[in-house]
Amino acid sequence: MDRIFQVEPSISSDDIEAVNNYISSGSWITENNLTLELENNIRNYLGREYAVAVPNGTIAIYLSLLSAGIKDGMKVAVPNLTMIATINAVLWANADPILVDVDESLCMSYEKLLELEGKIDCVIFVPLNGRTGEGEKIQKWCKENEIIFIEDSAHALGSNYELSKCGALGDLSILSFTPHKIITMGQGGMILTDDESLYDYLISIKTFNRSKEKSDWHEGFGLNFKITDLQAALGISQFEKLNFFVEKKLNTLKYYEENIHSNVLTIKPFKETEVPWFFDVEFDSKRIKDGFKEYLDKNGIETRDVYPALSSQKYLDEYKSDNLEYSENIYNKLLWLPSGNNISEEQLSFICETISKFK
Ligand SMILES: Cc1ncc(COP(=O)(O)O)c(C=O)c1O
């Protein structure tokens, strides 16, 4: 059997046709009506007032912070377990990140966050890997304490908290559309909000702050964070298949749960409302995890280590604290199995059989 990758983009003939149709149409390639259509489709699905497409998820977090007035020296709580973009966007905005430990859900711990009462201006909550943790409780606490709540939902389009969809919870919520996300357009990101003034700011900064009346006159400082309709053509086609991708993720999880028989690992469970992005397995020790990873690699099956804790990155040393033990340990114990939407039943069967033989 060919090597099985941990994840690959899932592009089919309808996606290719959508991109072909657009490129053949003689349009200007840059951002226009198709981007608007993609923004409307996602905004309506999530029940949000406004959606703003941007070149990637990192820029989406950065612009969310700027629009919310987060700047020099302001304090932003960030979960210690997340992809590096979450904290780098905070640093880019010249704000001070404060690392918060995660709980068993791998999302920011509510208990640990409460210890920061009175000391923070903003929280970035990450529904990591589609898990929702105490997100709704944290959002409520932020609202009561007048703290800006940004939801980095890069992994979680299609997943749900108890009451709301992921992407619908933040004062500002962001999505990412890189090739390993649930839908892709190569690169791409989106910001969602219900606040008109935040939306106006985002549009201004994204489009050179152009005057509405005269095209080369500007109301103030602005930059260019537009995408292209070429990407949006792919994004629209991919978004039409969101339910299919969600079903596929849920079915793959079920398959792994039913067919992996092993006493060296456990498949980390999800709540019924949640949609896994990647399928994570947990081990008792780093030694067993590393042995397992090597064994699968030799058998042509690629896996991926979970993110190292942010506090383990050398360049982030100054943000370390004593209070981050849970997240710092996760890297030693967790691994992501093949999780792509292209994965076939034959491949799944081979993976489960190979895993079940590991001693
Ligand atoms: C949790 C999280 N936030 C933000 C990002 C950044 O998104 P992008 O790669 O589109 O810049 C990623 C990317 O993988 C991510 O996983």
Side-chain angles (χ1 to χ4, degrees):
M1 178 166 306
D2 290 340
R3 189 166 171 77
I4 301 173
F5 294 105
Q6 196 270 326
V7 70
E8 287 178 287
S10 180
I11 299 294
S12 45
S13 55
D14 47 338
D15 297 317
I16 294 167
E17 198 181 323
V19 173
N20 271 340
N21 285 346
Y22 175 73
I23 199 88
S24 318
S25 71
S27 291
W28 272 47
I29 320 289
T30 188
E31 180 172 316
N32 202 345
N33 291 339
L34 287 191
T35 302
L36 201 60
E37 187 178 329
L38 177 67
E39 288 170 338
N40 281 335
N41 290 354
I42 295 186
R43 176 176 77 73
N44 287 334
Y45 165 78
L46 292 172
R48 304 297 311 242
E49 292 292 326
Y50 305 103
V52 181
V54 291
N56 57 56
T58 310
I59 289 173
I61 304 171
Y62 172 65
L63 294 183
S64 295
L65 291 161
L66 289 198
S67 71
I70 299 297
K71 49 181 187 280
D72 292 16
M74 291 174 89
K75 308 268 188 267
V76 181
V78 174
N80 195 33
L81 189 71
T82 180
M83 195 260 174
I84 205 72
T86 316
I87 191 166
N88 281 352
V90 175
L91 296 173
W92 192 11
N94 275 327
D96 290 341
I98 301 191
L99 298 177
V100 181
D101 209 357
V102 302
D103 61 24
E104 274 192 2
S105 71
L106 308 185
C107 299
M108 180 183 280
S109 155
Y110 176 68
E111 307 299 327
K112 294 280 172 68
L113 181 65
L114 288 192
E115 293 169 14
L116 298 176
E117 189 166 350
K119 295 186 191 151
I120 49 173
D121 303 289
C122 175
V123 168
I124 304 185
F125 182 81
V126 182
L128 195 90
N129 201 15
R131 290 200 179 83
T132 52
E134 304 271 42
E136 288 182 321
K137 229 160 126 181
I138 290 177
Q139 184 266 348
K140 193 160 167 271
W141 180 81
C142 285
K143 197 162 185 194
E144 285 162 6
N145 289 279
E146 296 184 357
I147 293 167
I148 293 152
F149 180 82
I150 295 177
E151 185 195 16
D152 173 356
S153 215
H155 297 175
L157 179 62
S159 193
N160 301 279
Y161 299 92
E162 240 164 71
L163 302 173
S164 29
K165 292 186 162 100
C166 293
L169 198 62
D171 297 316
L172 296 129
S173 300
I174 75 98
L175 302 170
S176 160
F177 307 122
T178 53
H180 55 316
K181 298 294 169 16
I182 189 140
I183 65 166
T184 188
M185 45 193 214
Q187 293 285 338
M190 194 169 283
I191 308 165
L192 298 123
T193 183
D194 299 326
D195 184 317
E196 191 178 359
S197 63
L198 297 180
Y199 173 72
D200 287 344
Y201 176 88
L202 292 167
I203 293 297
S204 302
I205 192 87
K206 165 177 164 165
T207 59
F208 297 118
N209 211 340
R210 246 178 229 295
S211 151
K212 288 196 178 62
E213 284 83 39
K214 286 199 249 168
S215 95
D216 280 317
W217 290 87
H218 304 269
E219 303 291 335
F221 177 77
L223 293 165
N224 178 1
F225 292 111
K226 294 189 284 289
I227 64 161
T228 67
D229 269 17
L230 184 60
Q231 290 166 286
L234 180 56
I236 291 167
S237 170
Q238 286 263 302
F239 182 69
E240 277 170 14
K241 295 183 286 191
L242 178 65
N243 287 341
F244 168 78
F245 290 144
V246 163
E247 277 304 301
K248 175 82 189 180
K249 293 281 187 193
L250 295 173
N251 287 338
T252 304
L253 176 66
K254 192 156 172 260
Y255 195 99
Y256 278 140
E257 284 173 342
E258 286 174 359
N259 294 286
I260 292 178
H261 307 289
S262 168
N263 45 25
V264 298
L265 62 85
T266 47
I267 300 175
K268 203 168 163 55
F270 285 82
K271 290 186 204 157
E272 241 173 60
T273 55
E274 295 170 342
V275 177
W277 172 55
F278 287 171
F279 307 99
D280 30 25
V281 286
E282 204 164 358
F283 301 83
D284 284 339
S285 73
K286 181 162 185 331
R287 188 182 56 79
I288 304 176
K289 183 189 114 165
D290 289 348
F292 178 82
K293 188 176 167 69
E294 198 183 323
Y295 162 79
L296 285 192
D297 187 56
K298 280 192 183 134
N299 282 280
I301 301 170
E302 187 183 69
T303 56
R304 177 170 169 182
D305 287 309
V306 73
Y307 305 124
L310 296 176
S311 55
S312 309
Q313 303 278 357
K314 214 93 216 71
Y315 82 102
L316 296 173
D317 247 5
E318 66 184 284
Y319 304 105
K320 246 176 145 66
S321 76
D322 297 337
N323 215 359
L324 301 167
E325 204 177 329
Y326 196 89
S327 40
E328 286 177 347
N329 248 319
I330 297 290
Y331 185 75
N332 294 330
K333 302 209 296 196
L334 218 81
L335 199 66
W336 282 321
L337 294 180
S339 303
N341 276 328
N342 283 342
I343 200 156
S344 67
E345 181 131 2
E346 192 195 357
Q347 288 173 317
L348 279 176
S349 161
F350 175 72
I351 295 166
C352 292
E353 259 173 49
T354 310
I355 291 178
S356 301
K357 284 187 206 147
F358 179 75
K359 296 271 178 309

